[in-house]
Amino acid sequence: MNHSSHTDQAMQACIEACNHCHQVCLQTAMNHCLKTGGKHIEAEHFRLMMNCAEICQVSANFQLSSSHFSHRLCEVCTEVCEACAADCEKLGGMDECVEACEQCAESCRKMASAQH
């Protein structure tokens, strides 16, 4: 019983981290990056930000539906969030996005290993 409630709390935290990261990546890409231009709108960076927003939303949805595949989505989400955080940090001026991606990656890593 105790393990179950701990897992539920971890999952809820992960869902919240995924939702937050989805929101921040989408807002940052569509507002900050488009306004800033230059390297911020180069295909590789912009695509990565949109992929990150999307995988975070999908990962949250899979967890909310108690999908047997959610741990695998969390694994992919971890990778994408780590890549997005690194790219945003490299370009600079996107600290909120870097932080959201790092928090989501950490949370998803825990869920991916907990559900194996």
Side-chain angles (χ1 to χ4, degrees):
M1 184 75 177
N2 191 16
H3 175 71
S4 177
S5 70
H6 175 72
T7 304
D8 290 345
Q9 284 181 329
M11 186 182 291
Q12 188 56 44
C14 189
I15 291 165
E16 288 171 14
C18 286
N19 283 331
H20 178 67
C21 192
H22 166 253
Q23 180 180 334
V24 171
C25 281
L26 189 60
Q27 285 179 330
T28 303
M30 291 303 199
N31 295 291
H32 172 79
C33 291
L34 287 178
K35 196 184 300 178
T36 304
K39 291 184 177 188
H40 290 265
I41 55 170
E42 285 181 5
E44 194 173 342
H45 172 72
F46 201 81
R47 186 180 297 120
L48 180 57
M49 289 197 70
M50 298 309 291
N51 287 167
C52 191
E54 190 71 24
I55 194 70
C56 287
Q57 186 173 47
V58 171
S59 181
N61 290 349
F62 271 57
Q63 290 176 79
L64 285 166
S65 66
S66 302
S67 171
H68 293 296
F69 300 104
S70 65
H71 69 281
R72 289 170 59 193
L73 260 295
C74 281
E75 286 176 21
V76 177
C77 194
T78 299
E79 288 181 46
V80 177
C81 284
E82 285 174 345
C84 193
D87 207 49
C88 288
E89 191 165 36
K90 186 177 74 178
L91 284 181
M94 292 180 278
D95 291 347
E96 187 184 5
C97 196
V98 171
E99 189 177 318
C101 289
E102 287 175 346
Q103 287 175 352
C104 189
E106 184 181 337
S107 192
C108 276
R109 190 179 300 109
K110 287 177 188 169
M111 288 308 296
S113 61
Q115 294 183 7
H116 274 291

